[in-house]
Amino acid sequence: MKNLRNIFAISAVAACFTLTAETFDITPGTLGELVGTQGATITELTLKGRADARDMAFIRDMASLKKLDMSALSIEGCTTDKEIFFGDRIFNAGAIPSFAFSCTGIEEVTLPSTLQAIGDGAFSSSELKVIKGGSAVTKIGDWAFYGCNALTEIELPATVATLGKGVFANCTALGSASLEKTKITVLPEQSFFNTPALRTIKLPSTLTAIDDEAFYGSGLSDVALSGNVHIVGAHSFSGMPNLESFQSGDIENGQGAFFNNPQLKHFHSEVTSVNHYGLAHCPSLVLGETGNDSPMLHANMLNDLALAHNASTGIVFGNTLQSVGKEVLSGMKNLNSVNVYLLEGNVPQTVPGSFDGIKPENISLMVDKNHIETWKADPEWGRFNIQGVSLSTDDIILDGPESIVFELEGNVLRISAPEEIGNVLITDASGMMLLAMAPGDTTVEIDITDMPQAVLLARAVTSKGARTFKFQRR
């Protein structure tokens, strides 16, 4: 009989903790009373009617809750007698309060159809995996989904016009994010900070600026910004272990914007300046390769350490360069030529130590031969091995290894080398790109019939280096 009583007791205890799914139609502040002692056993909760911050506080304390459906719920504003949610007493209608579900075990949430705002840190460091609904949301607060390490994908509705900072920061499992339908104009700082699993991002056409550290440490491998984006902030695309390609229009960049990207190989962007260590420590980046000349052809300023420690063998600057800071080329061990012939006698300003960190005396500086003495007179540019180049219309080899051979016959330019030609770039004398290609062979023939009848520059890159050929398209 004693054993039988024990069995009944165990069965009764088990029955008390049976996990359930429940639906309640509530009015503001009544959820706790309706749920009663069931709160600890409910795993799935569907709410209808009207609620306020007091009900959100009760939900927060439901330890077993995994799935929350608020699609038919309206959230009303209220003022509470005592402080809840980290000291707040006043709560707005149509908004999930700040930190309402932070650090909870809720895995799936369906937001109210009438919801307008998600408060700061509302779901931060929770076990959230899936979020649905919220088709009327216009504002998402700072750190709203910070540290949701089970969240794998997100798509924001078209109504969203404002994002706070760090909204998806430290969401380490987030692989896909679509903001394409939103109306945001600025992607705030640290929006996708430390999101190593991120592989796909869709940004809206309304976007004009990306703030500091927005994608720092993210897992993106290919970034292509629309021509509407003109500002990228400090470290916005730095520390990205998988980033191989970046493309944009005319942009201003903050310091370290592309710093420390070990896989970055292709950089197609018309930067007006390269800020402090902006493209530094990108050891796979070769600025002389196809399309990669364009940023330096348009740059007017290089700040300290701007290009330090990349793999370029040669760099061509356009006629817009005005100033360079300290150690701009530091650690560029492969560099053998710098071309400034398009600047003629307009020598960019330097500071003491502009070219420290390399051995300029071993690097050719290709200048307009009519201005050799002007360049030699500069205390920094004069440190290079200066070589004069004629800007006449006579065909001339400007620099690079002699093993790369250029032959011009009529309207066909033939380029050959003992090793594979990785890339070919042709520009006019102002730096405008006319052709970019990756032959992948030891010989390539290019029909230049449709190119302008003017002085043109062809640059070919192999594993042995880069060589530039200036010729007249007649």
Side-chain angles (χ1 to χ4, degrees):
M1 179 65 73
K2 182 177 179 181
N3 289 339
L4 187 59
R5 283 199 300 270
N6 288 342
I7 291 172
F8 284 147
I10 293 170
S11 298
V13 170
C16 289
F17 288 92
T18 300
L19 302 179
T20 61
E22 299 289 347
T23 300
F24 295 97
D25 194 335
I26 66 174
T27 55
T30 62
L31 181 61
E33 182 180 346
L34 290 172
V35 172
T37 58
Q38 296 180 75
T41 64
I42 294 174
T43 58
E44 297 184 15
L45 179 63
T46 300
L47 296 179
K48 301 178 180 179
R50 298 175 296 121
D52 63 21
R54 293 169 294 175
D55 303 303
M56 301 295 109
F58 185 83
I59 295 170
R60 177 189 174 89
D61 293 331
M62 296 175 68
S64 300
L65 187 63
K66 297 298 180 184
K67 185 175 181 179
L68 175 62
D69 185 347
M70 300 185 288
S71 56
L73 189 70
S74 174
I75 299 177
E76 297 187 355
C78 71
T79 301
T80 59
D81 295 332
K82 60 180 181 179
E83 295 177 347
I84 56 177
F85 297 129
F86 296 93
D88 288 341
R89 292 182 56 248
I90 301 173
F91 301 94
N92 296 325
I96 292 178
S98 296
F99 303 99
F101 304 117
S102 175
C103 300
T104 64
I106 300 174
E107 296 178 354
E108 181 176 329
V109 173
T110 303
L111 298 172
S113 60
T114 57
L115 188 70
Q116 297 177 346
I118 298 174
D120 295 349
F123 295 94
S124 59
S125 299
S126 70
E127 295 181 17
L128 187 67
K129 293 180 179 178
V130 178
I131 188 159
K132 304 175 182 177
S135 59
V137 171
T138 61
K139 181 181 179 180
I140 301 176
D142 297 347
W143 319 110
F145 298 95
Y146 175 93
C148 290
N149 290 329
L151 188 65
T152 59
E153 60 181 330
I154 191 77
E155 181 176 359
L156 299 185
T159 49
V160 173
T162 305
L163 288 182
K165 61 186 176 183
V167 170
F168 300 107
N170 283 333
C171 290
T172 55
L174 186 65
S176 172
S178 177
L179 285 60
E180 189 175 20
K181 297 176 182 178
T182 70
K183 298 179 176 65
I184 65 169
T185 58
V186 177
L187 187 65
E189 62 184 276
Q190 296 195 342
S191 290
F192 293 94
F193 181 93
N194 189 32
T195 49
L198 189 64
R199 295 295 183 269
T200 304
I201 183 75
K202 295 181 179 179
L203 299 172
S205 59
T206 53
L207 195 68
T208 60
I210 295 174
D211 270 357
D212 298 353
E213 299 183 337
F215 291 100
Y216 184 101
S218 79
L220 293 173
S221 61
D222 185 3
V223 174
L225 302 181
S226 80
N228 294 330
V229 178
H230 295 295
I231 299 174
V232 296
H235 296 282
S236 49
F237 292 95
S238 85
M240 297 170 63
N242 302 323
L243 184 64
E244 294 185 0
S245 175
F246 179 88
Q247 183 174 348
S248 75
D250 179 9
I251 57 170
E252 297 179 16
N253 56 93
Q255 68 177 21
F258 307 99
F259 173 75
N260 191 28
N261 290 315
Q263 302 301 321
L264 182 61
K265 298 179 180 69
H266 309 292
F267 188 83
H268 308 269
S269 178
E270 296 181 5
V271 292
T272 54
S273 65
V274 183
N275 222 313
H276 296 82
Y277 48 94
L279 277 165
H281 287 275
C282 297
S284 299
L285 182 63
V286 181
L287 290 170
E289 291 191 356
T290 300
N292 291 349
D293 279 315
S294 59
M296 298 308 102
L297 286 170
H298 296 277
N300 57 44
M301 178 175 60
L302 302 178
N303 277 318
D304 298 353
L305 297 163
L307 304 176
H309 297 281
N310 70 52
S312 299
T313 58
I315 300 176
V316 178
F317 290 112
N319 58 10
T320 55
L321 188 63
Q322 298 175 11
S323 65
V324 297
K326 291 183 179 180
E327 300 186 41
V328 291
L329 307 176
S330 179
M332 294 179 64
K333 297 179 181 179
N334 300 327
L335 189 64
N336 57 48
S337 69
V338 176
N339 290 326
V340 292
Y341 47 81
L342 295 176
L343 283 159
E344 299 181 351
N346 300 309
V347 180
Q349 288 184 329
T350 56
V351 297
S354 282
F355 301 112
D356 284 359
I358 57 172
K359 294 182 178 180
E361 64 274 13
N362 296 333
I363 299 170
S364 297
L365 182 69
M366 315 305 294
V367 307
D368 181 344
K369 72 173 186 179
N370 296 315
H371 299 281
I372 290 176
E373 296 306 317
T374 304
W375 289 90
K376 284 184 175 181
D378 185 271
E380 289 295 321
W381 292 105
R383 297 166 63 187
F384 286 92
N385 176 17
I386 295 177
Q387 299 181 29
V389 174
S390 171
L391 292 181
S392 69
T393 58
D394 297 334
D395 298 345
I396 187 171
I397 298 292
L398 297 179
D399 63 356
E402 294 181 0
S403 58
I404 302 175
V405 177
F406 295 85
E407 298 173 279
L408 183 61
E409 297 181 6
N411 286 324
V412 176
L413 176 63
R414 187 174 187 272
I415 308 172
S416 60
E419 53 282 331
E420 181 181 292
I421 302 170
N423 296 283
V424 173
L425 177 73
I426 299 181
T427 68
D428 65 15
S430 69
M432 180 181 294
M433 188 184 301
L434 304 175
L435 178 142
M437 63 186 301
D441 202 346
T442 58
T443 303
V444 60
E445 291 188 352
I446 302 169
D447 186 349
I448 61 171
T449 303
D450 296 329
M451 294 186 183
Q453 292 186 346
V455 175
L456 304 179
L457 301 167
R459 186 170 180 82
V461 180
T462 73
S463 60
K464 300 297 184 182
R467 199 175 201 198
T468 304
F469 176 58
K470 181 174 66 66
F471 63 98
Q472 172 74 38
R473 153 80 171 97
R474 299 180 175 88

